[in-house]
Amino acid sequence: MNASADLEPANSSLWDTTAGIMAVVVGPSGAGKDTLMNLAARHFAGRSDVHFVRRVITRDGDAGNEDHRSVSELDFDAMEQAGAFAVSWEAHGLKYGIPADVFDELAQGRLVIANGSRSALHHFRSAFPHLKVINITASREVLAERLMARGRESRDDVLKRLERSALTVQGSYDVTDIDNSGTLEEAERAIISVLEVLVRK
C-alpha cells in the first residue's frame, strides 16, 4: 500500500510547514510495544501538547492490546480512496491507517505518537518531515519466551521466526532503541524520557 501522502490531503498547505514531531513506535512481536505505549499514554494523559494516534485497523475492536477503530476491509478501502489516511499499510493480513487529522495536530506544534511498523517506515518518512522512530526491542531469548507464552505458535516456529527477523531498524532514520528485556518499569521510564525530550523540541 502507498502512503496517502500520494493523495493530496485537505490541509496540504501545512504539508511542509508542520511544526510538530511525529514519533512512530515500532518493534518485533513480543517486545512489549503496545504495553509501553499504553503506559506512556497514561503518563501524558491530559497534556495538550501530546497526541496519541488512534489507528484504524481491519480487525475486531476487542482484539490486541491497542485502542483502535475497527473497520471492515471495504470501509477501509473506501476511506483510503477518500484520502482519510496520512499513512496506510498492510501487514500480517490486516490493514492499518493513520488518520489524516494528525496533520492538524502537527500544525499546532504537538508531539504526535503513533503505533507503526518497521515495514511501513518509508511511508511515514514520505508523509512526515519531522520523524522520530522509537524501536522497542528485547533479546531473542526474552522474545521467544514471551511469544511461546501466548500459545499461538510452537517453540520451533517461534525460534525460526526470530532467527530470520531483524531486531533493529533498517535504513537512515532518526532511531532510539529501547531494550525491554528487563523490568517493565525500566522500559517505561526510558520511553517516557525519550518522549519528554521530543515534547520540549
Side-chain angles (χ1 to χ4, degrees):
M1 285 192 182
N2 295 322
S4 293
D6 297 334
L7 303 171
E8 182 136 345
N11 50 356
S12 58
S13 61
L14 304 174
W15 190 263
D16 294 319
T17 59
T18 50
I21 296 173
M22 166 59 76
V24 56
V25 182
V26 300
S29 296
K33 176 181 65 170
D34 291 346
T35 298
L36 288 176
M37 287 195 68
N38 288 337
L39 291 170
R42 185 174 66 184
H43 174 83
F44 288 100
R47 290 274 296 266
S48 61
D49 52 354
V50 180
H51 174 73
F52 282 81
V53 175
R54 187 169 184 249
R55 295 194 296 183
V56 178
I57 310 177
T58 57
R59 71 179 177 200
D60 291 341
D62 296 331
N65 188 29
E66 175 187 354
D67 177 25
H68 64 280
R69 178 182 172 188
S70 176
V71 299
S72 67
E73 284 203 28
L74 188 62
D75 287 343
F76 187 100
D77 293 343
M79 293 173 71
E80 189 174 43
Q81 288 297 318
F85 301 130
V87 175
S88 60
W89 69 97
E90 186 170 357
H92 311 298
L94 297 173
K95 296 180 180 181
Y96 300 82
I98 303 296
D101 61 11
V102 296
F103 292 119
D104 297 324
E105 302 291 341
L106 290 167
Q108 297 299 317
R110 297 186 176 102
L111 170 63
V112 175
I113 303 158
N115 193 332
S117 171
R118 288 173 295 174
S119 65
L121 283 178
H122 59 295
H123 292 323
F124 279 85
R125 179 161 55 188
S126 296
F128 305 110
H130 307 301
L131 179 66
K132 173 70 178 182
V133 180
I134 301 173
N135 181 45
I136 309 298
T137 188
S139 68
R140 294 185 188 276
E141 293 77 11
V142 169
L143 291 175
E145 181 180 329
R146 291 174 183 168
L147 290 173
M148 286 186 287
R150 295 178 179 179
R152 302 174 190 167
E153 300 172 277
S154 69
R155 179 182 177 82
D156 285 344
D157 288 340
V158 167
L159 293 177
K160 287 177 183 177
R161 177 147 69 95
L162 289 175
E163 282 177 6
R164 61 175 181 265
S165 65
L167 301 183
T168 56
V169 171
Q170 307 299 309
S172 55
Y173 299 96
D174 178 8
V175 182
T176 294
D177 293 303
I178 294 178
D179 189 340
N180 190 23
S181 301
T183 68
L184 184 58
E185 290 76 13
E186 289 173 330
E188 178 184 5
R189 286 195 296 270
I191 191 171
I192 288 172
S193 176
V194 172
L195 295 175
E196 288 281 14
V197 171
L198 294 176
V199 172
R200 293 194 293 268
K201 284 189 175 181

